[in-house]
């Protein structure tokens, strides 16, 4: 199964991705996590991407498309995958169509901007795995520690309020067009379009997403 998670920064893509990958046994492909790994490793891509990400902008399409094409050619993607945070421009979406990647479903997680800033300020992440928590809405079992490894949780560098506002603006300018792009795709290869209310509690969103995908 090939699924795409679409939604604003902080809508809950990473949170729901954990449940979907577990339920359907497909790997998560988060371009944000891949870029953060490159930053941590200090690669040339990481150095370049860090400046752009800290400013709330988008990394160049050709770099991202190349990175994803390489990733989906890996053996663990043979039975499908979950895109999280990709595609996020029309050019990226069209590159996947051109490459013959037929998605089975697009899941849009809908959250208004007003709720996003609070979510981001309380977010804590386990960088090696990408596991995501919230101090109030989705707390770890032990404060400040990852549930599975016990390692430290950190705040993301791009979760400062000013950067979050910039990321939201970029979402509305460059990514939101994909709602139209995917919901209007027709024909034999068109994905199912599933829209869920992302303002509901994590568990409710999870049930709605999983049930819709099982249908
Ligand atoms: P990326 O890592 O993809 O960030 P994003 O899209 O901005 O999304 P987030 O990860 O911030 O949010 P999320 O939807 O995953 O929410 P989460 O589940 O964590 O990208 C980062 C940067 O990398 C980009 O800005 C760009 O520079 C670059 N980049 C990445 N991909 C790119 C691409 N394809 N092209 C170009 N550049 C690219 O949840 C947020 C918080 O809310 C958490 O604390 C969580 O616990 C909490 N929460 C989740 N669900 C709920 C709920 N239902 N109720 C209450 N709280 C909730
Ligand atoms: Zn995420």
């Amino acid at each position: 199964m090939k699924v795409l998670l679409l939604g604003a920064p902080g809508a809950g893509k990473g949170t729901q991705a954990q449940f979907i990958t577990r339920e359907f046994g497909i790997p998560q492909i988060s371009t944000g996590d891949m870029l953060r790994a490159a930053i941590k490793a200090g690669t040339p891509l990481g150095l370049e991407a860090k400046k752009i990400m800290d400013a709330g902008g988008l990394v160049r399409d050709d770099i991202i498309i190349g990175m994803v094409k390489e990733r989906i050619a890996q053996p663990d993607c043979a039975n499908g995958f979950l895109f999280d945070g990709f595609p996020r421009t029309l050019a990226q979406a069209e590159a996947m169509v051109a490459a013959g990647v037929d998605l089975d479903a697009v899941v849009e997680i809908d959250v208004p901007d007003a709720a996003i800033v609070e979510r981001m300020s309380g977010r804590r992440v386990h960088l090696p795995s990408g596991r995501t928590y919230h101090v109030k809405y989705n707390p770890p079992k032990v404060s400040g520690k990852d549930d599975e490894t016990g390692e430290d949780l950190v705040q993301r560098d791009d979760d400062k309020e000013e950067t979050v506002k910039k990321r939201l603006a970029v979402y509305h300018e460059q990514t939101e067009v994909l709602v139209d792009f995917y919901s209007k795709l027709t024909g034999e290869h068109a994905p199912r379009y599933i829209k869920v209310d992302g303002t509901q509690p994590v568990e409710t969103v999870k049930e709605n997403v999983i049930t819709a995908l099982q249908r």
Side-chain angles (χ1 to χ4, degrees), residues 16 107-111 194-199 205 208-209 212:
Q16 296 301 325
V107 179
E108 180 194 348
I109 308 180
D110 183 32
V111 177
I194 298 164
K195 181 171 178 169
V196 296
D197 175 2
T199 65
V205 178
N208 291 340
V209 169

Side-chain angles (χ1 to χ4, degrees), residues 133-175:
Y133 304 86
H134 190 282
V135 291
K136 185 160 131 202
Y137 303 123
N138 189 19
K141 290 181 191 127
V142 177
S143 173
K145 303 285 179 196
D146 176 50
D147 284 354
E148 287 184 28
T149 63
E151 291 168 355
D152 285 344
L153 302 177
V154 297
Q155 275 192 283
R156 262 170 54 177
D157 288 339
D158 59 350
D159 277 353
K160 289 191 235 45
E161 188 169 338
E162 278 320 299
T163 314
V164 169
K165 285 184 178 153
K166 178 73 192 352
R167 287 161 62 201
L168 277 172
V170 168
Y171 174 78
H172 293 303
E173 278 161 23
Q174 301 204 47
T175 309

Side-chain angles (χ1 to χ4, degrees), residues 21-49:
T21 54
R22 209 174 300 154
E23 178 73 25
F24 299 102
I26 49 176
Q28 173 188 6
I29 301 180
S30 161
T31 42
D33 285 352
M34 291 162 86
L35 293 169
R36 281 182 286 278
I39 292 174
K40 193 148 183 279
T43 65
L45 165 65
L47 292 174
E48 163 106 30

Side-chain angles (χ1 to χ4, degrees), residues 14 84 123 156:
D84 161 10
R123 170 159 63 184
R156 262 170 54 177

Side-chain angles (χ1 to χ4, degrees), residues 7-16 30-33 35-36 52-53 56-61 64 84-89 92 119-120 122-124 132-134 137-138 156 158-159 167 198-202 205:
K13 302 181 296 294
T15 300
Q16 296 301 325
S30 161
T31 42
D33 285 352
L35 293 169
R36 281 182 286 278
I52 298 167
M53 291 165 76
L58 293 183
V59 175
R60 266 187 14 229
D61 284 332
I64 297 284
D84 161 10
F86 172 89
R88 67 207 282 150
T89 63
Q92 292 177 16
R119 279 195 186 186
M120 300 302 225
R123 170 159 63 184
R124 300 291 181 274
T132 301
Y133 304 86
H134 190 282
Y137 303 123
N138 189 19
R156 262 170 54 177
D158 59 350
D159 277 353
R167 287 161 62 201
T199 65
Q200 297 296 310
V202 172
V205 178

